[in-house]
Amino acid sequence: MKIAVLSGKGGTGKTTISTNLAKAMGWNYVDCDVEEPNGFIFLNPKVIKTEQVSIPVPEIDPSKCIGCQKCVNICQFNALAWANKDVLLFDKLCHGCGACSLVCGYGAISEVDREIGHIDVGNDEQITCMRGTLNIGEPMAVPIIRDLKKMIGNEKTIIDCSPGSTCSVVAAIEGVDYAVLVTEPTAFGLHDLKIAIELVRTMNIPFGIIINRGSHEKDLIEEHCEKEKINIIGKVMFDKDVAVLYSKGKLLVEHEKYKELFLHIGKKVEGEIACSLL
Ligand code: SF4
Ligand code: SF4
């Protein structure tokens, strides 16, 4: 069972929601926001294992290459070029698809692993935590997310996604049972929320909304959700206690008031998943 936590834009409090939800529900936590994985700052698990993530990239043997350029023509990502009677590789563009080595009829291409990042696995007292980290300057986040997803297995897991609706988000939410969309009650928040809603609807994933930094008054997110019959599963108020806990790198569930709130949201989400399976 997997729940993805996503947001149409950065800075909405997605990691706050996902770490606190994981802790309140007792579900494992996986940080798929591999360009900026900061869930471990709040959960503070003891890291017990680190694994490198690599992709296979071509290595060309010039002594066997006859210059037919089939490899250059097959590459869909422009990672190969023909210049000065040589095949050139732009390794940051290579997706490791293996097509070039398949079409080379002269055995001039072999594959070598290129490290793009790593995965940490850790434990806190109750839950297993994993995070992927993309090396600085690397453009390819998806292979790390795929490796993380393989490691989750069938465990009950909260997946913290990257902000936006990029390939990384699509890879992270593929196959999840439910999506929690985190937003804030501003015009920008609503604009990006609509994009996130379109994404989960296209992928047929049941979803609910959490409003972060909300007030006691009805806001524009609630008005939109009411009009569109979209389920709001929780609201975290804009409140001094949240700011104090956040600035100390602490979880909100360490405060009784928020523990209750996240337990309530967790129960609601589990109920929604049960209904979606009927
Ligand atoms: S397909 Fe093989 S032989 Fe042809 S250019 Fe590429 S490396 Fe050289
Ligand atoms: S492995 Fe795929 S992406 Fe990389 S250079 Fe070869 S064809 Fe292009």
Side-chain angles (χ1 to χ4, degrees):
M1 193 79 76
K2 298 179 200 82
I3 298 168
V5 179
L6 56 150
S7 62
K9 70 181 201 61
T12 53
K14 172 183 58 59
T15 296
T16 304
I17 301 297
S18 46
T19 49
N20 283 284
L21 210 48
K23 197 71 179 166
M25 294 172 82
W27 285 32
N28 294 339
Y29 169 83
V30 174
D31 200 340
C32 282
D33 187 359
V34 300
E35 280 166 74
E36 215 174 333
N38 47 22
F40 274 32
I41 297 170
F42 301 97
L43 290 165
N44 201 20
K46 187 173 181 296
V47 174
I48 50 167
K49 190 168 72 170
T50 297
E51 282 183 11
Q52 306 309 320
V53 180
S54 305
I55 58 167
V57 297
E59 190 172 66
I60 292 134
D61 180 348
S63 68
K64 292 183 182 165
C65 175
I66 61 133
C68 69
Q69 299 179 47
K70 281 188 185 166
C71 55
V72 176
N73 296 332
I74 196 83
C75 183
Q76 299 297 297
F77 305 100
N78 297 320
L80 295 173
W82 179 250
N84 293 332
K85 298 184 181 165
D86 247 336
V87 179
L88 298 182
L89 169 70
F90 300 97
D91 60 355
K92 295 275 166 69
L93 297 180
C94 174
H95 281 55
C97 70
C100 51
S101 58
L102 279 177
V103 295
C104 179
Y106 300 89
I109 302 183
S110 51
E111 287 181 338
V112 289
D113 282 344
R114 191 170 73 77
E115 191 195 315
I116 57 165
H118 63 273
I119 288 173
D120 294 310
V121 181
N123 289 321
D124 85 337
E125 303 103 53
Q126 300 126 349
I127 61 174
T128 299
C129 305
M130 286 190 253
R131 75 169 162 201
T133 306
L134 189 66
N135 288 350
I136 292 167
E138 284 295 341
M140 222 85 66
V142 171
I144 301 185
I145 294 167
R146 292 221 174 104
D147 279 10
L148 275 167
K149 299 272 298 277
K150 275 186 218 148
M151 288 167 81
I152 295 171
N154 292 324
E155 298 290 312
K156 287 182 168 180
T157 305
I158 302 286
I159 298 175
D160 190 354
C161 304
S162 321
S165 50
T166 59
C167 301
S168 302
V169 179
V170 172
I173 67 176
E174 230 166 17
V176 301
D177 301 278
Y178 192 81
V180 170
L181 273 47
V182 182
T183 187
E184 57 184 15
T186 63
F188 283 132
L190 178 58
H191 175 269
D192 294 312
L193 175 68
K194 285 179 184 170
I195 297 169
I197 290 172
E198 210 177 311
L199 177 68
V200 289
R201 279 189 169 148
T202 307
M203 293 178 73
N204 272 327
I205 300 170
F207 68 96
I209 311 286
I210 292 184
I211 301 170
N212 194 24
R213 302 188 196 105
S215 71
H216 292 287
E217 279 154 38
K218 192 170 181 179
D219 57 56
L220 75 176
I221 303 287
E222 286 168 287
E223 279 166 13
H224 177 75
C225 290
E226 203 172 284
K227 200 168 80 199
E228 298 290 320
K229 298 191 170 39
I230 294 169
N231 202 5
I232 295 177
I233 51 172
K235 190 172 184 178
V236 181
M237 295 299 169
F238 187 59
D239 151 331
K240 193 175 134 235
D241 293 332
V242 174
V244 171
L245 288 163
Y246 189 82
S247 66
K248 290 181 181 167
K250 294 200 163 169
L251 289 169
L252 303 188
V253 290
E254 289 178 41
H255 194 300
E256 203 48 45
K257 170 172 76 172
Y258 289 106
K259 191 174 173 185
E260 290 282 314
L261 173 69
F262 278 96
L263 278 172
H264 179 70
I265 293 174
K267 287 216 171 75
K268 238 176 162 174
V269 172
E270 284 183 300
E272 294 269 316
I273 295 173
C275 287
S276 72
L277 294 174
L278 290 177

